[in-house]
Structure formats: C-alpha cells, structure tokens
C-alpha cells in the first residue's frame, strides 16, 4: 500500500509541476489557510474546476461552503471577473475571514456571501426562483444527500454540479465496520450521495479520483 501511495504522490507532484504559478494574492490566502488547518481546494481539483468553468460564458455560480473564500476567488480569477458567485457559509470565524479576503480582491462586487444554515438558504433561493449554471459543493458532507433535491431545482438545464472531497481521505473505500463510530454517519451519507448522483435521471455523472475525489455532473437539457 505504501508504494502505491508514494507513486500517487509522485504523480500528483509531477502534474502540479506543469501548473502556472498562483498569483501572490491567492498564494497568501492559501498559505494562511493551510497554516490554520482550514481545508482548501487542492491544486489538481482547482485545475479541473477552472477547465469546467471555461465551458460557461459569464456563469452564475452557487458555492456551498465558502470557508475563507479561497475557492470562490480561484473561480472568479479563472473567469477573469466575468460572471457572478453566490457563496454560502455558516461558521462566523470563516465568514469574517472570507469577507476580508473578498474585500481585498478586485472581485468584491461579483461575489455575494450569504451567511447562515445552508438548508435554510437553499429554501430561500428556491422561493426566489433563482437559477445557477454552475454549482460548486464543498460543505458539510453529511448534508450532501439532503441538499441534492434543492440543488437540482436550482441548477439550470445544461448546468454543472461539481462536488469536492467526496472520497473523504479514502474513508469511503473502507467498510463501515472498520470505522470509528464518529466517522460512520459521514461514510453512510456520502455513499448514499454518490448512489443518488448515479441514479438521478436528470444528471450525467462521472466520479474522478482527483485530489480527494471529485464528482462531476451535467444536468441534461
């Protein structure tokens, strides 16, 4: 197993050697987040995300899980400021940091940060009959299957649903009986979520072993 993991790390490092350098602004946010153990977008995942965004012209993006704002800024930078992002976060400390980072960026007027419980905010967006051409999901993993019906209603035909960290550090590969009790809920919910994605008739879905696992779905026209 060790040699397999080493090879995976080497492949990852090799691929990353071809990536363009991050801007100084994003690099500062990334380093600060890592120093404070805030989970942020991995480089391979960010590269795929940028490619997917390029398929949309001036997309309207819904992000569930702002954290400190790094991924929203990566997306907006990839779009050259062409588009808009509505991003949702529930943790006060991360909200304040995200506000600071957005305020220091050239994209402040393109990003709307909604504060509070994701389930409630999704309902409010549905009541307003909002539509999004791109949804980036990287929030509390146990909520994924519960949020999916609302997300599908908010996602416009031809829209993309991009979900990050779906393998949970390879946790999903294990039998639930080998896991600690506190891990079993996430294990169960994430496996349920992946089954829902694959069975959802309105979606065409691919699951990719990139970063910590990505699912990529397109809503059929």
């Amino acid at each position: 197993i060790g040699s397999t993991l080493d090879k995976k790390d080497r492949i990852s490092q090799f691929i990353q050697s071809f990536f363009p350098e991050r801007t100084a602004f994003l690099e500062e946010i990334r380093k600060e987040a890592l120093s404070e153990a805030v989970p942020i977008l991995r480089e391979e995942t960010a590269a795929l995300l940028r490619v997917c965004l390029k398929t949309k012209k001036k997309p309207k993006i819904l992000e569930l899980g702002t954290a400190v704002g790094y991924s929203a800024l990566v997306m907006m930078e990839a779009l050259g400021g062409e588009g808009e992002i509505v991003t949702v976060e529930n943790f006060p400390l991360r909200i304040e940091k995200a506000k600071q980072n957005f305020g220091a960026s050239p994209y402040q007027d393109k990003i709307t940060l909604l504060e509070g419980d994701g389930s409630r905010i999704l309902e409010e967006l549905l009541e307003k009959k909002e539509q999004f051409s791109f949804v980036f999901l990287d929030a509390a993993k146990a909520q994924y299957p519960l949020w999916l019906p609302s997300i599908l209603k908010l996602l416009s035909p031809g829209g993309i649903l991009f979900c990050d960290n779906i393998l949970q550090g390879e946790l999903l590969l294990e039998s639930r009986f080998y896991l600690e009790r506190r891990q079993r809920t996430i294990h169960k919910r994430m496996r349920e979520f992946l089954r829902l994605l694959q069975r959802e008739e309105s979606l065409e879905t691919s699951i990719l072993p990139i970063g910590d696992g990505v699912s990529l779905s397109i809503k059929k026209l």
Side-chain angles (χ1 to χ4, degrees):
I1 294 175
S3 60
T4 302
L5 291 176
D6 291 343
K7 184 176 181 181
K8 184 177 179 181
D9 288 341
R10 287 179 61 201
I11 291 172
S12 177
Q13 290 169 9
F14 177 74
I15 292 171
Q16 288 185 34
S17 70
F18 293 96
F19 292 163
E21 290 187 9
R22 287 176 290 272
T23 62
F25 177 64
L26 282 179
E27 179 63 8
E28 183 180 349
I29 295 173
R30 188 186 77 90
K31 285 183 175 179
E32 183 176 0
L34 291 174
S35 70
E36 297 176 359
V38 176
I40 59 170
L41 201 59
R42 296 192 183 192
E43 287 305 292
E44 301 98 317
T45 308
L48 178 62
L49 182 59
R50 291 187 187 98
V51 171
C52 292
L53 287 167
K54 295 293 186 180
T55 67
K56 300 295 178 184
K57 185 176 181 179
K58 295 184 179 181
K60 185 174 182 180
I61 302 167
L62 173 63
E63 177 185 47
L64 295 165
T66 312
V68 296
Y70 179 75
S71 52
L73 291 169
V74 166
M75 289 190 282
M76 192 52 68
E77 186 176 273
L79 294 168
E82 295 293 323
E84 59 179 297
I85 297 177
V86 174
T87 183
V88 180
E89 182 57 57
N90 195 33
F91 293 98
L93 291 177
R94 292 184 179 179
I95 288 170
E96 290 308 309
K97 192 60 185 177
K99 286 180 177 178
Q100 292 175 27
N101 289 332
F102 293 153
S105 79
Y107 311 115
Q108 185 174 11
D109 61 340
K110 301 284 188 176
I111 302 174
T112 301
L113 175 57
L114 301 180
E115 306 173 29
D117 177 69
S119 298
R120 175 182 60 79
I121 291 173
L122 285 172
E123 288 302 315
E124 291 174 355
L125 293 172
L126 285 171
E127 289 173 5
K128 295 177 181 177
K129 301 187 184 301
E130 294 276 10
Q131 287 281 280
F132 298 90
S133 56
F134 199 101
V135 176
F136 179 59
L137 180 55
D138 187 15
K141 303 303 179 280
Q143 301 300 317
Y144 282 22
L146 305 179
W147 288 351
L148 185 59
S150 296
I151 290 171
L152 291 176
K153 292 174 184 176
L154 292 166
L155 186 64
S156 58
I160 293 174
L161 170 59
F162 191 113
C163 307
D164 195 15
N165 297 327
I166 60 165
L167 296 181
Q168 285 290 284
E170 302 187 0
L171 180 74
L172 264 64
L173 306 183
E174 305 296 335
S175 166
R176 64 186 299 270
F177 299 106
Y178 289 94
L179 302 176
E180 297 178 19
R181 186 175 299 274
R182 62 184 178 81
Q183 297 175 315
R184 291 180 182 177
T185 298
I186 291 177
H187 182 274
K188 178 182 177 182
R189 292 281 180 86
M190 287 304 294
R191 283 198 170 194
E192 177 188 354
F193 177 70
L194 293 178
R195 283 193 293 268
L196 289 171
L197 282 181
Q198 292 288 8
R199 294 173 182 172
E200 176 54 50
E201 294 182 355
S202 69
L203 297 177
E204 191 69 45
T205 296
S206 179
I207 299 171
L208 307 170
I210 292 174
D212 196 21
V214 168
S215 68
L216 185 58
S217 306
I218 297 178
K219 189 171 182 180
K220 298 175 184 177
L221 298 173

